[in-house]
Amino acid sequence: MPEFDYTDLLPLGPDETEYRLITREGVRVTEAAGRRFLEVEPEALRLLTETAIHDISHYLRASHLAQLRKIVDDPESSGNDRFVALDLLKNASISAGGVLPMCQDTGTAIVMGKRGRHVLTDGRDAEHLSRGVYDAYTRLNLRYSQMAPLTMWDEKNTGSNLPAQIELYAEDPNGHPDEYKFLFMAKGGGSANKSFLYQETKAVLNEKRMLAFLEEKIRSLGTAACPPYHLAIVVGGTSAEYALKTAKYASARYLDSIPTEGSASGHGFRDLEMEKKVFELTQKLGIGAQFGGKYFCHDVRVIRLPRHGASCPVAIAVSCSADRQALAKITPEGVFLEQLETDPARFLPDTTDEHLGGDVVSIDLNRPMPEILAELSRYPVKTRLSLTGPLVVARDIAHAKIAERLDAGEDMPQYMKDHAVYYAGPAKTPEGYASGSFGPTTAGRMDSYVERFQAAGGSMVMLAKGNRSKQVTEACQKYGGFYLGSIGGPAARLAQDCIKKVEVLEYPELGMEAVWKIEVVDFPAFIVVDDKGDDFFTDTTGPVLTIGRR
């Protein structure tokens, strides 16, 4: 029988984060029973949370920005890789102004905290943290995305982006009983929807099978969550939910300092060699930074956890181009937040759009729809476009309402026949701007409507992000339609540089889900699905590995 040997499941190493001081107010040290205690006032928790949500909505880590610059500088990057990376750097520079958030989906607020045993509060920590979330989302130009269930089928937007996901642990962070440490995240629907759990068996626990398995699953991620990704893979876990949570933390690089070797005590560890192999695999897929190339991922984390002998969960998660997270801490010295990059423009190269490679085709959206379709038909998939003119904006609820009208025997709305439709939903519009952050949403959610809408003369040109199902390709071939891919991620740049006018066409009561009409100038896009049955993503679905296959 082995001796008792306790270990944390995920033992963290030293915290080497660079922090900035938010305030020294709201914290004080007291002595009692021969111990030193840290008292934290509610306002310190509220202020820290509000500041953290502001920062992660507008700033990125310098390491993330350096990875984008690396794509631009890499001679092996495709022209589309470089174009996407440069656009994301421009977007970061605009967002850092503190007005337009980097993405229109400003996410679910997630707070994870570890409170040392000598930290004293009033016991209502989650309430005070939630108040900080509320203040940030209601005061800033962010979007409310949380839906409160009224019945099993009926929902209502909460109008404040609450509730937040808050998880608090009684644990001395890094061995300090008088510290309170946090991880703040804003998780948008696109990247959250690319969190997956697979219940496997020991049969997958060899390199050949594991790599073949991962290739299939990584391909299935697609581009809807706005790559390049920070990809996290977790093998094992004491439970399914622990594997998934570990993958989420790993995608935020929160677990970078855990051990890199296992032991008989059973703690988790990073497998650096496997990380290298999986990263090389992602560079061979051909998907690239959304429209073909090498940089589907910035990096990969692979974590091995202990497991029950009858279970082998494998979890996969990503952090997208809106890589929104920050560490924080409250100590006797004050309230601190991770120092994010406030001057991302220093990562911008001298490269201009003209140096990125590939011709750009200008499309005048003011022309009649038959002329637009004829012009698009001249070019193959992957062609880079610049769109100027009117677009109709409609997403999930608007599509459902239009489908109800067709069910009732009504005609397709004329605006869906005359204009390209952009799947999107804006954040709040700042004073003096035509639009708030206004990037594309995931196209696949509208796939089930396409065949019927095109048969009725609508949705002939669609604009969104991510790959689509075979039924969309077949509908476009049958009816002569097109799906154009918009770059996922640069919502602030699109709002500032490309969207010149926004007005509501129908369903104003739906808020950001209303049908809008917008005027755009030089709006970037790519032909993804054409009227001949070609789909860019079909060229990236074949395996690059043959090991372990017959």
Side-chain angles (χ1 to χ4, degrees):
M1 180 179 297
E3 294 183 1
F4 174 76
D5 183 17
Y6 174 78
T7 181
D8 286 342
L9 277 177
L10 293 166
L12 295 177
D15 183 4
E16 299 180 354
T17 306
E18 179 184 353
Y19 292 97
R20 68 182 180 94
L21 177 67
I22 302 299
T23 182
R24 299 187 190 278
E25 301 294 323
V27 297
R28 65 178 177 270
V29 174
T30 60
E31 302 282 344
R35 301 183 184 183
R36 186 173 81 155
F37 293 88
L38 176 66
E39 294 187 68
V40 178
E41 296 294 330
E43 173 59 17
L45 295 173
R46 188 211 65 79
L47 176 63
L48 174 60
T49 304
E50 182 183 21
T51 307
I53 296 298
H54 168 275
D55 281 16
I56 63 178
S57 298
H58 292 281
Y59 309 134
L60 292 159
R61 288 172 168 154
S63 58
H64 175 87
L65 294 163
Q67 288 174 308
L68 287 171
R69 174 59 187 265
K70 178 182 176 182
I71 295 173
V72 178
D73 292 338
D74 186 351
E76 295 182 357
S77 297
S78 70
N80 288 344
D81 274 342
R82 290 192 290 273
F83 179 70
V84 170
L86 184 59
D87 221 38
L88 292 173
L89 284 171
K90 292 177 181 177
N91 186 71
S93 299
I94 293 169
S95 176
V99 178
L100 293 166
M102 67 184 73
C103 180
Q104 82 287 343
D105 183 348
T106 49
T108 297
I110 299 171
V111 185
M112 187 272 284
K114 295 180 178 180
R115 191 174 89 184
R117 68 187 186 277
H118 290 175
V119 176
L120 304 178
T121 69
D122 68 358
R124 296 158 53 199
D125 299 25
E127 178 182 342
H128 306 315
L129 295 167
S130 294
R131 180 68 201 210
V133 171
Y134 173 90
D135 289 345
Y137 277 88
T138 54
R139 294 172 181 175
L140 300 172
N141 298 309
L142 308 183
R143 195 175 86 185
Y144 310 139
S145 299
Q146 303 307 307
M147 307 298 292
L150 305 179
T151 69
M152 179 62 76
W153 321 120
D154 300 317
E155 298 177 314
K156 180 181 179 180
N157 195 299
T158 63
S160 65
N161 216 54
L162 291 177
Q165 179 180 323
I166 298 176
E167 301 177 3
L168 302 176
Y169 299 89
E171 178 181 329
D172 290 351
N174 295 103
H176 296 287
D178 57 352
E179 288 192 1
Y180 204 161
K181 302 194 77 170
F182 299 89
L183 170 65
F184 290 93
M185 302 178 71
K187 197 71 172 173
S191 61
N193 292 346
K194 296 304 179 181
S195 301
F196 294 102
L197 175 73
Y198 306 97
Q199 295 285 16
E200 297 302 309
T201 69
K202 181 175 171 54
V204 80
L205 293 181
N206 67 76
E207 184 177 307
K208 291 181 180 180
R209 287 187 178 234
M210 179 60 76
L211 285 171
F213 168 83
L214 290 176
E215 180 185 346
E216 175 188 354
K217 303 308 180 186
I218 291 170
R219 284 185 185 280
S220 73
L221 294 174
T223 61
C226 307
Y229 298 132
H230 299 281
L231 173 64
I233 298 163
V234 174
V235 178
T238 49
S239 64
E241 65 271 22
Y242 193 81
L244 279 168
K245 185 178 293 188
T246 302
K248 176 182 284 188
Y249 291 158
S251 71
R253 278 85 72 215
Y254 178 73
L255 302 176
D256 277 6
S257 65
I258 67 171
T260 55
E261 293 181 347
S263 73
S265 63
H267 63 72
F269 66 92
R270 287 179 61 188
D271 188 328
L272 301 183
E273 186 62 28
M274 195 65 174
E275 289 179 1
K276 179 181 178 182
K277 290 180 179 179
V278 175
F279 181 60
E280 291 173 350
L281 169 63
T282 67
Q283 293 189 313
K284 296 176 182 178
L285 297 178
I287 300 173
Q290 304 188 30
F291 300 103
K294 175 181 176 183
Y295 282 99
F296 187 54
C297 295
H298 284 304
D299 48 39
V300 176
R301 300 292 183 272
V302 177
I303 293 180
R304 182 69 158 90
L305 292 177
R307 68 183 185 92
H308 185 287
S311 301
C312 187
V314 179
I316 296 178
V318 300
S319 185
C320 66
S321 60
D323 187 44
R324 295 173 293 200
Q325 59 252 282
L327 299 174
K329 63 181 180 179
I330 302 176
T331 75
E333 287 71 41
V335 180
F336 297 86
L337 182 64
E338 181 176 355
Q339 179 65 64
L340 302 180
E341 180 56 65
T342 59
D343 182 24
R346 69 186 180 90
F347 291 92
L348 281 168
D350 294 331
T351 305
T352 62
D353 291 358
E354 290 73 23
H355 297 136
L356 295 174
D359 295 330
V360 181
V361 176
S362 296
I363 301 294
D364 182 3
L365 298 176
N366 291 289
R367 291 186 294 171
M369 181 56 66
E371 293 184 17
I372 295 173
L373 295 173
E375 176 70 9
L376 291 172
S377 190
R378 296 172 51 199
Y379 303 100
V381 294
K382 291 177 63 173
T383 298
R384 187 171 140 207
L385 308 174
S386 177
L387 310 178
T388 297
L391 288 168
V392 166
V393 179
R395 48 182 281 161
D396 307 64
I397 297 178
H399 274 68
K401 286 186 172 292
I402 292 171
E404 290 173 0
R405 288 159 67 166
L406 296 179
D407 289 340
E410 300 179 31
D411 290 335
M412 172 67 65
Q414 192 63 39
Y415 56 73
M416 293 290 284
K417 297 180 180 180
D418 293 342
H419 303 294
V421 57
Y422 179 37
Y423 303 159
K428 284 183 284 188
T429 301
E431 186 176 353
Y433 285 73
S435 165
S437 292
F438 210 154
T441 196
T442 304
R445 298 204 306 271
M446 269 56 75
D447 283 6
S448 61
Y449 299 101
V450 173
E451 198 280 337
R452 189 177 183 198
F453 280 24
Q454 289 191 344
S459 294
M460 296 306 297
V461 178
M462 301 161 285
L463 177 65
K465 67 175 181 176
N467 47 304
R468 308 202 69 170
S469 63
K470 186 178 180 182
Q471 68 190 90
V472 172
T473 304
E474 292 173 346
C476 287
Q477 184 176 19
K478 181 177 180 180
Y479 297 106
F482 289 83
Y483 166 52
L484 311 181
S486 177
I487 300 173
R493 194 190 79 76
L494 295 176
Q496 176 176 285
D497 298 341
C498 300
I499 300 175
K500 303 303 180 183
K501 183 179 179 182
V502 176
E503 60 181 313
V504 176
L505 280 182
E506 197 169 13
Y507 307 122
E509 69 277 9
L510 298 181
M512 69 93 177
E513 290 265 10
V515 176
W516 307 77
K517 183 178 180 182
I518 65 175
E519 294 284 339
V520 302
V521 174
D522 294 330
F523 194 106
F526 296 80
I527 299 177
V528 177
V529 176
D530 66 13
D531 58 346
K532 304 169 190 64
D534 298 319
D535 179 352
F536 157 69
F537 287 103
T538 61
D539 296 333
T540 62
T541 55
V544 298
L545 295 177
T546 57
I547 50 177
R549 299 180 184 271
R550 298 188 178 206

